[in-house]
PDB file of all heavy atoms in Angstrom:
ATOM      1  N   GLU A 491     -78.115  28.010 -10.093  1.00 69.00           N
ATOM      2  CA  GLU A 491     -77.016  28.743 -10.710  1.00 69.00           C
ATOM      3  C   GLU A 491     -75.704  28.500  -9.957  1.00 69.00           C
ATOM      4  O   GLU A 491     -74.643  28.307 -10.550  1.00 69.00           O
ATOM      5  CB  GLU A 491     -77.344  30.231 -10.729  1.00 69.00           C
ATOM      6  CG  GLU A 491     -76.305  31.106 -11.410  1.00 69.00           C
ATOM      7  CD  GLU A 491     -76.226  30.856 -12.905  1.00 69.00           C
ATOM      8  OE1 GLU A 491     -77.223  30.384 -13.486  1.00 69.00           O
ATOM      9  OE2 GLU A 491     -75.152  31.136 -13.490  1.00 69.00           O
ATOM     10  N   ARG A 492     -75.800  28.502  -8.618  1.00 66.00           N
ATOM     11  CA  ARG A 492     -74.594  28.249  -7.814  1.00 66.00           C
ATOM     12  C   ARG A 492     -74.072  26.829  -8.041  1.00 66.00           C
ATOM     13  O   ARG A 492     -72.868  26.609  -8.187  1.00 66.00           O
ATOM     14  CB  ARG A 492     -74.905  28.454  -6.331  1.00 66.00           C
ATOM     15  CG  ARG A 492     -73.660  28.508  -5.439  1.00 66.00           C
ATOM     16  CD  ARG A 492     -74.048  28.603  -3.974  1.00 66.00           C
ATOM     17  NE  ARG A 492     -74.843  29.775  -3.684  1.00 66.00           N
ATOM     18  CZ  ARG A 492     -74.318  30.986  -3.455  1.00 66.00           C
ATOM     19  NH1 ARG A 492     -73.022  31.148  -3.522  1.00 66.00           N
ATOM     20  NH2 ARG A 492     -75.102  32.003  -3.166  1.00 66.00           N
ATOM     21  N   LEU A 493     -75.008  25.860  -8.076  1.00 70.00           N
ATOM     22  CA  LEU A 493     -74.600  24.484  -8.324  1.00 70.00           C
ATOM     23  C   LEU A 493     -74.018  24.342  -9.726  1.00 70.00           C
ATOM     24  O   LEU A 493     -73.041  23.617  -9.942  1.00 70.00           O
ATOM     25  CB  LEU A 493     -75.802  23.559  -8.135  1.00 70.00           C
ATOM     26  CG  LEU A 493     -75.524  22.049  -8.205  1.00 70.00           C
ATOM     27  CD1 LEU A 493     -74.463  21.642  -7.197  1.00 70.00           C
ATOM     28  CD2 LEU A 493     -76.808  21.263  -7.977  1.00 70.00           C
ATOM     29  N   SER A 494     -74.618  25.063 -10.679  1.00 70.00           N
ATOM     30  CA  SER A 494     -74.093  25.030 -12.040  1.00 70.00           C
ATOM     31  C   SER A 494     -72.683  25.602 -12.086  1.00 70.00           C
ATOM     32  O   SER A 494     -71.823  25.104 -12.817  1.00 70.00           O
ATOM     33  CB  SER A 494     -75.020  25.823 -12.967  1.00 70.00           C
ATOM     34  OG  SER A 494     -74.517  25.834 -14.289  1.00 70.00           O
ATOM     35  N   LEU A 495     -72.442  26.652 -11.301  1.00 70.00           N
ATOM     36  CA  LEU A 495     -71.107  27.250 -11.245  1.00 70.00           C
ATOM     37  C   LEU A 495     -70.090  26.247 -10.702  1.00 70.00           C
ATOM     38  O   LEU A 495     -68.981  26.110 -11.222  1.00 70.00           O
ATOM     39  CB  LEU A 495     -71.143  28.511 -10.382  1.00 70.00           C
ATOM     40  CG  LEU A 495     -69.820  29.266 -10.210  1.00 70.00           C
ATOM     41  CD1 LEU A 495     -69.313  29.785 -11.549  1.00 70.00           C
ATOM     42  CD2 LEU A 495     -69.982  30.419  -9.226  1.00 70.00           C
ATOM     43  N   MET A 496     -70.470  25.499  -9.656  1.00 69.00           N
ATOM     44  CA  MET A 496     -69.547  24.524  -9.076  1.00 69.00           C
ATOM     45  C   MET A 496     -69.284  23.371 -10.037  1.00 69.00           C
ATOM     46  O   MET A 496     -68.158  22.899 -10.173  1.00 69.00           O
ATOM     47  CB  MET A 496     -70.103  24.001  -7.749  1.00 69.00           C
ATOM     48  CG  MET A 496     -70.071  25.035  -6.626  1.00 69.00           C
ATOM     49  SD  MET A 496     -70.462  24.344  -5.001  1.00 69.00           S
ATOM     50  CE  MET A 496     -72.212  24.051  -5.177  1.00 69.00           C
ATOM     51  N   VAL A 497     -70.338  22.916 -10.728  1.00 70.00           N
ATOM     52  CA  VAL A 497     -70.145  21.861 -11.718  1.00 70.00           C
ATOM     53  C   VAL A 497     -69.236  22.357 -12.831  1.00 70.00           C
ATOM     54  O   VAL A 497     -68.350  21.642 -13.327  1.00 70.00           O
ATOM     55  CB  VAL A 497     -71.503  21.396 -12.275  1.00 70.00           C
ATOM     56  CG1 VAL A 497     -71.303  20.458 -13.465  1.00 70.00           C
ATOM     57  CG2 VAL A 497     -72.311  20.696 -11.200  1.00 70.00           C
ATOM     58  N   GLY A 498     -69.422  23.622 -13.218  1.00 70.00           N
ATOM     59  CA  GLY A 498     -68.546  24.201 -14.237  1.00 70.00           C
ATOM     60  C   GLY A 498     -67.102  24.256 -13.787  1.00 70.00           C
ATOM     61  O   GLY A 498     -66.176  24.050 -14.593  1.00 70.00           O
ATOM     62  N   GLN A 499     -66.877  24.514 -12.488  1.00 69.00           N
ATOM     63  CA  GLN A 499     -65.505  24.529 -11.977  1.00 69.00           C
ATOM     64  C   GLN A 499     -64.864  23.143 -12.077  1.00 69.00           C
ATOM     65  O   GLN A 499     -63.692  23.008 -12.446  1.00 69.00           O
ATOM     66  CB  GLN A 499     -65.504  25.013 -10.528  1.00 69.00           C
ATOM     67  CG  GLN A 499     -65.812  26.496 -10.376  1.00 69.00           C
ATOM     68  CD  GLN A 499     -65.899  26.914  -8.920  1.00 69.00           C
ATOM     69  OE1 GLN A 499     -65.975  26.078  -8.025  1.00 69.00           O
ATOM     70  NE2 GLN A 499     -65.896  28.224  -8.687  1.00 69.00           N
ATOM     71  N   ILE A 500     -65.654  22.092 -11.748  1.00 68.00           N
ATOM     72  CA  ILE A 500     -65.121  20.730 -11.853  1.00 68.00           C
ATOM     73  C   ILE A 500     -64.776  20.411 -13.303  1.00 68.00           C
ATOM     74  O   ILE A 500     -63.733  19.821 -13.611  1.00 68.00           O
ATOM     75  CB  ILE A 500     -66.130  19.717 -11.289  1.00 68.00           C
ATOM     76  CG1 ILE A 500     -66.336  19.964  -9.783  1.00 68.00           C
ATOM     77  CG2 ILE A 500     -65.653  18.286 -11.518  1.00 68.00           C
ATOM     78  CD1 ILE A 500     -67.424  19.114  -9.171  1.00 68.00           C
ATOM     79  N   LEU A 501     -65.643  20.835 -14.209  1.00 68.00           N
ATOM     80  CA  LEU A 501     -65.373  20.625 -15.629  1.00 68.00           C
ATOM     81  C   LEU A 501     -64.110  21.354 -16.063  1.00 68.00           C
ATOM     82  O   LEU A 501     -63.291  20.822 -16.823  1.00 68.00           O
ATOM     83  CB  LEU A 501     -66.564  21.104 -16.464  1.00 68.00           C
ATOM     84  CG  LEU A 501     -67.707  20.109 -16.662  1.00 68.00           C
ATOM     85  CD1 LEU A 501     -68.883  20.800 -17.320  1.00 68.00           C
ATOM     86  CD2 LEU A 501     -67.251  18.932 -17.497  1.00 68.00           C
ATOM     87  N   ASP A 502     -63.953  22.587 -15.589  1.00 71.00           N
ATOM     88  CA  ASP A 502     -62.772  23.368 -15.979  1.00 71.00           C
ATOM     89  C   ASP A 502     -61.489  22.732 -15.462  1.00 71.00           C
ATOM     90  O   ASP A 502     -60.475  22.693 -16.178  1.00 71.00           O
ATOM     91  CB  ASP A 502     -62.895  24.801 -15.442  1.00 71.00           C
ATOM     92  CG  ASP A 502     -63.888  25.630 -16.253  1.00 71.00           C
ATOM     93  OD1 ASP A 502     -64.108  25.292 -17.425  1.00 71.00           O
ATOM     94  OD2 ASP A 502     -64.431  26.611 -15.706  1.00 71.00           O
ATOM     95  N   VAL A 503     -61.501  22.237 -14.218  1.00 70.00           N
ATOM     96  CA  VAL A 503     -60.306  21.583 -13.679  1.00 70.00           C
ATOM     97  C   VAL A 503     -59.984  20.330 -14.489  1.00 70.00           C
ATOM     98  O   VAL A 503     -58.819  20.037 -14.785  1.00 70.00           O
ATOM     99  CB  VAL A 503     -60.500  21.235 -12.186  1.00 70.00           C
ATOM    100  CG1 VAL A 503     -59.367  20.347 -11.686  1.00 70.00           C
ATOM    101  CG2 VAL A 503     -60.567  22.507 -11.363  1.00 70.00           C
ATOM    102  N   THR A 504     -61.013  19.584 -14.874  1.00 68.00           N
ATOM    103  CA  THR A 504     -60.797  18.403 -15.711  1.00 68.00           C
ATOM    104  C   THR A 504     -60.146  18.798 -17.029  1.00 68.00           C
ATOM    105  O   THR A 504     -59.204  18.146 -17.504  1.00 68.00           O
ATOM    106  CB  THR A 504     -62.132  17.691 -15.967  1.00 68.00           C
ATOM    107  OG1 THR A 504     -62.719  17.338 -14.713  1.00 68.00           O
ATOM    108  CG2 THR A 504     -61.915  16.430 -16.800  1.00 68.00           C
ATOM    109  N   ARG A 505     -60.648  19.872 -17.651  1.00 70.00           N
ATOM    110  CA  ARG A 505     -60.056  20.330 -18.912  1.00 70.00           C
ATOM    111  C   ARG A 505     -58.610  20.791 -18.704  1.00 70.00           C
ATOM    112  O   ARG A 505     -57.737  20.536 -19.543  1.00 70.00           O
ATOM    113  CB  ARG A 505     -60.882  21.494 -19.479  1.00 70.00           C
ATOM    114  CG  ARG A 505     -62.289  21.112 -19.907  1.00 70.00           C
ATOM    115  CD  ARG A 505     -62.957  22.257 -20.649  1.00 70.00           C
ATOM    116  NE  ARG A 505     -64.362  21.973 -20.903  1.00 70.00           N
ATOM    117  CZ  ARG A 505     -65.369  22.491 -20.207  1.00 70.00           C
ATOM    118  NH1 ARG A 505     -65.113  23.323 -19.201  1.00 70.00           N
ATOM    119  NH2 ARG A 505     -66.616  22.185 -20.493  1.00 70.00           N
ATOM    120  N   MET A 506     -58.338  21.481 -17.571  1.00 73.00           N
ATOM    121  CA  MET A 506     -56.976  21.957 -17.294  1.00 73.00           C
ATOM    122  C   MET A 506     -56.014  20.778 -17.143  1.00 73.00           C
ATOM    123  O   MET A 506     -54.897  20.803 -17.670  1.00 73.00           O
ATOM    124  CB  MET A 506     -56.968  22.821 -16.026  1.00 73.00           C
ATOM    125  CG  MET A 506     -57.628  24.182 -16.215  1.00 73.00           C
ATOM    126  SD  MET A 506     -58.042  24.997 -14.648  1.00 73.00           S
ATOM    127  CE  MET A 506     -56.458  25.020 -13.830  1.00 73.00           C
ATOM    128  N   GLU A 507     -56.433  19.749 -16.421  1.00 70.00           N
ATOM    129  CA  GLU A 507     -55.546  18.603 -16.212  1.00 70.00           C
ATOM    130  C   GLU A 507     -55.300  17.841 -17.501  1.00 70.00           C
ATOM    131  O   GLU A 507     -54.245  17.240 -17.686  1.00 70.00           O
ATOM    132  CB  GLU A 507     -56.146  17.675 -15.157  1.00 70.00           C
ATOM    133  CG  GLU A 507     -56.135  18.265 -13.747  1.00 70.00           C
ATOM    134  CD  GLU A 507     -56.762  17.348 -12.728  1.00 70.00           C
ATOM    135  OE1 GLU A 507     -57.447  16.375 -13.150  1.00 70.00           O
ATOM    136  OE2 GLU A 507     -56.585  17.584 -11.530  1.00 70.00           O
ATOM    137  N   GLU A 508     -56.281  17.856 -18.400  1.00 67.00           N
ATOM    138  CA  GLU A 508     -56.120  17.156 -19.670  1.00 67.00           C
ATOM    139  C   GLU A 508     -55.570  18.061 -20.764  1.00 67.00           C
ATOM    140  O   GLU A 508     -55.380  17.620 -21.905  1.00 67.00           O
ATOM    141  CB  GLU A 508     -57.479  16.587 -20.113  1.00 67.00           C
ATOM    142  CG  GLU A 508     -58.007  15.499 -19.168  1.00 67.00           C
ATOM    143  CD  GLU A 508     -59.383  15.003 -19.589  1.00 67.00           C
ATOM    144  OE1 GLU A 508     -59.995  15.651 -20.482  1.00 67.00           O
ATOM    145  OE2 GLU A 508     -59.841  13.995 -19.041  1.00 67.00           O
TER     146      GLU A 508
END
Side-chain angles (χ1 to χ4, degrees):
E491 183 68 24
R492 192 184 301 277
L493 187 56
S494 179
L495 180 63
M496 289 190 288
V497 171
Q499 289 176 347
I500 296 174
L501 275 171
D502 285 336
V503 170
T504 302
R505 294 189 188 103
M506 288 164 56
E507 290 179 346
E508 295 177 349

